Amino acid sequence: MRVCFSLVSRCFLINIRVYNSVTELFISFAQSEPKTPAQIQIRLAGDKRKHYEGRVEVNYNGEWGTVCDDDFDISAAHVVCRELGYLGAVAWYPSAKYGKGEGHIWLDNVHCTGREASLADCLSNGFGVSDCRHTEDVGVVCTQKRIPGFHFISTSSNDVETLDVRVEDVRIRATFSQRKRIPITEGFVEVKDAGKWRQICDEWWSPMNSRIVCGMHGFPGEKGFNTRSYRLLSARRKKNYWGFSVNCTGNEAHLSTCRMGKHRLMGNSTCARGMPVVVSCVPGRLFAPSQSLGFRKAYRPEQPLVRLRGGGNLGEGRVEVLKGGVWGTVCDDNWDLRAATVVCRELGFGTAKEALTGARLGQGMGPVHMNEVECSGFEKSLTECYFNRDALGCSHEEDAAVRCNVPAMSFVSPLQLRLSGGRNPYEGRVEVLVERNGSMVWGTVCSENWGMIEAMVVCRQLGLGFASHAFQETWYWPGDVSADSVVMSGVRCSGTEMSLAQCLHHGKHLSCPKGGGRFAAGVSCSDGAPDLVLNAELVEHTTYLEDRPMYMLQCAHEENCLASSAAMADTSSYRRLLRFSSQIHNNGRADFRPKAGQHAWIWHECHRRHYHSMEVFTHYDLLSLNGTRVAEGHKASFCLEDTECDEGIPKRYACANFGQQGITVGCWDTYRHDIDCQWIDVTDVKPGDYIFQVVINPNYEVAESDYTNNIMRCQCRYDGYRIWTYNCHTGGSRSSDVNEFPGIMTNQLQRR
């Protein structure tokens, strides 16, 4: 207990503690007059996955120690995070969540109001006065956003020899001849200190430092450059050196975790024998200048061993690895920034911004290939890191993911594309900046044929995640009147583009019969999206043939669930049906909801069971080995509901009584084999070998985080009496899917 009261300009701090029925009383007297707070440094350390979280460590009198979790609260966490340069704290954790520290436990029973400038200003037992053990070390999670003046390097989290350094930013300043290149990969390294950009002396600079600077700017590695030209250039420039050196080991995720030290001399004489630091970075394959197309067709690209899935923005996603020809996920046990950085560099990005756990970017499918991954940071591939091959106990709820640093590209600039008139920054009319008659003007995009794929590209380009809706009318979003004119039409995207300008469009010769204004294209973006995946194993195990009399299929016939030859069939004849069950899981991060609202749902008189919320939800096809359709069936309309859910997840959607429809994250909708239209009419099919195909959400009416797994195929053999289905798997689950599922990697499923 702590009691503080004023008595003749004195303050008494009374600490009462009870240990095994023994009470100890400590009374400390402190002057009420303000005293100079202790000089400390703070850093976040331990077993962390993000650079803005970790065990709170304090440097006092030249020694690092920890903080006890007794009386620690969110106000104290806010003070810690602001002292490190973040806007505030998100959470704090007791009981050594980030591992046990070493050395002194400097602070105990910390009480902060949240307004203190430093943790040293908060009330506590005093430095070094503690009854705690390192099992009680406290940790914090800060916001990702920094206070202006604290970008990249926070000296209080490093081994710097001074406490007064404040660095605002780090940049690569290109020479005049390099500035037109996109992205900028080479130039002088400059740090922003006290509002001024300063150079760094290269006398203490190492290739490992360059490696980290390149990684921070989205590049996987560094390379050599023409030193002589930069030396001549620097000789003509005014020097303004930063007074500190940087010493990186090369496996850091960003410069803020490198060691820093003072130079021997300050000012411009700091670098008498050197020149300003220059770095030259190697861009990843997505950002490298395009090569000649001469021999591209002659060489097949190498099959990657690692990929990202389920991310809304460039350079982020669930980590998946290829093993034995089958794609699988990585368990998040011990997943950290080093392993995440290896993944990012392997894929042609820079260092990792975050190592995400708990299936934060959606659950994968198939096996879990890696567990307890440990990387040094210098591996060329995640598959070279040490890991536990036994992933027992790891489920897809523990799938690891990453967010990587990516280069600053010109098309990402909000000056090229913007959303206008929306209620929030995530929605609005799409407006682009183009050149007209020698000047740059804003204008709208023609909404003709505008769909979800195009909206996805817009949201990705703006860094707003996934598209939740694509609008062809935006009269309710009054944008800038001067931008009403249509400046882009005929837009058609494959879904893999990084900017809207990369999609097919009409160019300068516009064609938009509807005109712009209220009929301009619009989007609504969101952080998460659903991801529907069909249970291929269940399809394979439930497939069978049934001969059903025509008089029992009249309702299905009215809903076009039979082959065209059924129109001429006698009511006493039979139709041969390929029947199966389908179980569709939502493994994404948002509920799957139908495109149309309840007012547009259709009551089918034929079945008189429920309203149909989607006119086309799935396609069922039987294909020849060369891909020609020989028989088809489809759910002409669909009722979406939660049939079953994972443990602990409540059902939210039910079709009965005109209820809300959808599929909750972690739930699945099952259509049993004995339900009408859950079949393919194979009456006219000849015996032979075929491909059985199911496509979910074939027209992309609803946004998903991954369309590649919306298709399932099985090998199928029919002898005229019996049918066998085998080798069923979803798209993107195997290494051969690039060839076996043509066009699926670019979201080009067939639209009907």
Side-chain angles (χ1 to χ4, degrees):
M1 178 179 69
R2 178 177 285 100
V3 179
C4 186
F5 54 91
S6 178
L7 178 64
V8 193
S9 73
R10 298 278 183 176
C11 183
F12 297 83
L13 293 179
I14 303 177
N15 291 282
I16 301 177
R17 300 196 186 116
V18 180
Y19 305 103
N20 299 325
S21 302
V22 178
T23 303
E24 297 181 7
L25 177 65
F26 303 95
I27 304 179
S28 60
F29 297 86
Q31 294 286 347
S32 62
E33 291 83 11
K35 61 181 181 180
T36 304
Q39 295 292 305
I40 66 170
Q41 293 175 260
I42 292 181
R43 68 183 181 188
L44 300 181
D47 304 328
K48 56 183 183 176
R49 296 180 173 91
K50 312 176 187 73
H51 62 271
Y52 50 83
E53 71 172 354
R55 182 177 61 245
V56 179
E57 293 194 351
V58 175
N59 189 308
Y60 178 70
N61 282 345
E63 294 185 47
W64 286 102
T66 62
V67 178
C68 182
D69 59 17
D70 290 351
D71 294 339
F72 200 92
D73 59 13
I74 193 65
S75 296
H78 282 308
V79 174
V80 169
C81 291
R82 282 198 293 269
E83 192 167 0
L84 289 170
Y86 299 97
L87 287 178
V90 174
W92 67 277
Y93 294 102
S95 306
K97 173 181 171 61
Y98 297 100
K100 294 186 292 184
E102 298 178 349
H104 296 282
I105 298 178
W106 280 126
L107 294 172
D108 187 11
N109 295 109
V110 177
H111 277 261
C112 301
T113 65
R115 296 186 294 271
E116 293 84 355
S118 170
L119 198 65
D121 298 336
C122 299
L123 292 174
S124 69
N125 293 349
F127 283 92
V129 181
S130 173
D131 61 340
C132 297
R133 298 181 178 181
H134 283 299
T135 54
E136 300 171 82
D137 288 343
V138 74
V140 299
V141 179
C142 302
T143 63
Q144 298 185 48
K145 294 185 178 180
R146 287 185 175 273
I147 300 170
F150 284 87
H151 291 302
F152 297 116
I153 297 180
S154 173
T155 56
S156 41
S157 64
N158 295 286
D159 298 325
V160 70
E161 300 169 3
T162 179
L163 301 176
D164 301 323
V165 182
R166 289 294 181 266
V167 180
E168 298 177 24
D169 209 343
V170 179
R171 73 179 182 184
I172 299 176
R173 184 180 180 183
T175 62
F176 183 78
S177 61
Q178 297 276 347
R179 288 176 188 171
K180 293 183 179 180
R181 297 186 179 182
I182 300 296
I184 293 175
T185 60
E186 184 176 300
F188 292 100
V189 177
E190 296 184 341
V191 295
K192 198 173 186 181
D193 179 27
K196 295 182 179 179
W197 288 103
R198 306 180 189 274
Q199 302 90 33
I200 303 176
C201 179
D202 70 350
E203 290 185 21
W204 293 272
W205 193 260
S206 71
M208 292 296 100
N209 295 351
S210 297
R211 171 181 167 89
I212 301 306
V213 171
C214 289
M216 290 168 50
H217 288 85
F219 304 110
E222 77 290 347
K223 64 178 181 178
F225 56 91
N226 187 341
T227 306
R228 183 173 179 273
S229 63
Y230 280 100
R231 187 176 297 276
L232 292 173
L233 185 61
S234 65
R236 299 194 297 267
R237 296 179 59 187
K238 182 179 178 180
K239 307 296 191 302
N240 186 15
Y241 284 112
W242 188 46
F244 299 88
S245 61
V246 181
N247 183 17
C248 302
T249 62
N251 59 12
E252 295 89 351
H254 45 82
L255 217 60
S256 65
T257 52
C258 297
R259 296 168 62 95
M260 289 193 294
K262 257 187 177 180
H263 283 172
R264 299 171 191 170
L265 299 174
M266 298 296 290
N268 294 340
S269 59
T270 303
C271 199
R273 294 177 296 173
M275 59 176 268
V277 167
V278 176
V279 298
S280 182
C281 306
V282 180
R285 54 182 174 270
L286 286 176
F287 311 98
S290 59
Q291 303 295 322
S292 171
L293 300 177
F295 297 97
R296 179 169 292 181
K297 293 183 179 179
Y299 298 95
R300 181 179 175 184
E302 184 180 352
Q303 172 71 58
L305 298 177
V306 178
R307 69 183 185 185
L308 300 182
R309 282 290 184 271
N313 298 310
L314 188 65
E316 71 175 31
R318 178 180 60 253
V319 180
E320 297 186 354
V321 295
L322 185 65
K323 178 182 177 183
V326 177
W327 288 100
T329 61
V330 178
C331 187
D332 63 9
D333 292 349
N334 298 340
W335 187 247
D336 60 14
L337 280 173
R338 283 192 182 181
T341 293
V342 171
V343 171
C344 291
R345 290 187 187 275
E346 179 180 1
L347 295 176
F349 303 110
T351 52
K353 290 190 291 187
E354 288 185 68
L356 301 170
T357 60
R360 285 271 303 279
L361 296 184
Q363 296 184 27
M365 54 187 181
V368 178
H369 283 327
M370 302 178 74
N371 184 23
E372 298 175 357
V373 178
E374 293 185 14
C375 303
S376 69
F378 292 96
E379 293 86 354
K380 292 184 178 180
S381 172
L382 186 70
T383 57
E384 298 177 4
C385 298
Y386 292 103
F387 66 94
N388 184 353
R389 298 177 183 274
D390 185 3
L392 293 177
C394 280
S395 68
H396 286 301
E397 295 176 355
E398 302 171 85
D399 285 343
V402 300
R403 286 196 175 105
C404 306
N405 285 309
V406 299
M409 305 291 287
S410 62
F411 58 74
V412 178
S413 169
L415 296 177
Q416 306 295 321
L417 183 72
R418 70 184 184 188
L419 301 183
S420 178
R423 296 163 296 179
N424 56 64
Y426 284 79
E427 68 177 19
R429 186 174 74 176
V430 179
E431 296 180 356
V432 294
L433 186 66
V434 298
E435 182 182 356
R436 287 291 182 269
N437 299 323
S439 60
M440 303 301 293
V441 297
W442 286 101
T444 61
V445 178
C446 182
S447 63
E448 192 171 0
N449 296 322
W450 183 260
M452 192 62 69
I453 299 298
E454 290 72 31
M456 282 282 196
V457 174
V458 168
C459 293
R460 184 188 305 125
Q461 179 178 348
L462 293 173
L464 299 178
F466 304 96
S468 56
H469 294 90
F471 300 97
Q472 294 187 349
E473 289 188 32
T474 53
W475 55 268
Y476 36 79
W477 286 333
D480 189 342
V481 178
S482 63
D484 280 348
S485 299
V486 174
V487 296
M488 180 180 285
S489 65
V491 179
R492 189 72 168 178
C493 304
S494 70
T496 60
E497 296 86 356
M498 292 186 286
S499 75
L500 197 65
Q502 294 176 347
C503 299
L504 294 173
H505 58 278
H506 288 154
K508 294 182 179 180
H509 304 287
L510 302 176
S511 175
C512 188
K514 283 187 177 180
R518 60 176 295 175
F519 294 104
V523 301
S524 176
C525 307
S526 69
D527 292 330
D531 183 21
L532 298 186
V533 182
L534 184 67
N535 186 336
E537 185 177 1
L538 181 67
V539 173
E540 184 172 333
H541 291 168
T542 58
T543 305
Y544 67 99
L545 289 178
E546 179 191 8
D547 289 336
R548 195 170 182 84
M550 189 64 192
Y551 67 83
M552 297 180 63
L553 295 171
Q554 292 304 312
C555 190
H557 190 203
E558 290 180 19
E559 292 192 6
N560 298 317
C561 295
L562 300 176
S564 57
S565 62
M568 306 297 295
D570 186 85
T571 55
S572 61
S573 63
Y574 284 76
R575 307 299 297 181
R576 178 157 292 180
L577 308 175
L578 170 59
R579 310 201 70 154
F580 56 94
S581 296
S582 63
Q583 188 181 90
I584 300 168
H585 293 244
N586 183 0
N587 289 348
R589 293 188 289 148
D591 293 353
F592 186 96
R593 299 298 309 277
K595 177 182 178 181
Q598 282 183 294
H599 66 281
W601 295 355
I602 300 173
W603 175 263
H604 277 247
E605 289 291 336
C606 189
H607 287 109
R608 293 183 176 274
R609 293 177 182 170
H610 46 248
Y611 285 86
H612 293 292
S613 58
M614 291 187 70
E615 193 59 31
V616 178
F617 181 69
T618 52
H619 285 160
Y620 306 144
D621 296 309
L622 196 66
L623 311 175
S624 66
L625 297 183
N626 64 9
T628 304
R629 186 182 300 110
V630 296
E632 64 180 80
H634 63 282
K635 296 302 296 182
S637 43
F638 217 77
C639 163
L640 299 167
E641 64 180 358
D642 296 328
T643 306
E644 296 291 341
C645 298
D646 290 330
E647 185 177 355
I649 299 178
K651 299 178 182 179
R652 298 183 57 186
Y653 303 105
C655 295
N657 301 319
F658 199 37
Q660 290 290 333
Q661 293 191 24
I663 306 177
T664 306
V665 175
C667 300
W668 55 91
D669 189 2
T670 301
Y671 258 63
R672 288 171 47 87
H673 57 84
D674 53 0
I675 295 176
D676 264 2
C677 295
Q678 189 63 27
W679 62 57
I680 296 178
D681 185 352
V682 295
T683 306
D684 305 319
V685 174
K686 298 178 180 179
D689 291 322
Y690 298 95
I691 297 171
F692 175 30
Q693 175 178 282
V694 178
V695 183
I696 308 169
N697 192 17
N699 295 336
Y700 311 113
E701 290 186 358
V702 178
E704 295 188 50
S705 60
D706 187 359
Y707 286 113
T708 64
N709 56 24
N710 280 28
I711 186 170
M712 184 221 69
R713 283 185 173 180
C714 306
Q715 291 177 275
C716 182
R717 173 163 292 182
Y718 174 50
D719 67 358
Y721 305 97
R722 295 164 297 177
I723 197 162
W724 295 266
T725 54
Y726 54 98
N727 198 22
C728 295
H729 62 285
T730 55
S733 64
R734 302 186 182 183
S735 61
S736 60
D737 288 347
V738 175
N739 291 330
E740 192 172 341
F741 293 78
I744 195 170
M745 302 310 291
T746 55
N747 293 329
Q748 290 300 289
L749 300 180
Q750 183 175 358
R751 303 189 188 188
R752 294 181 183 172

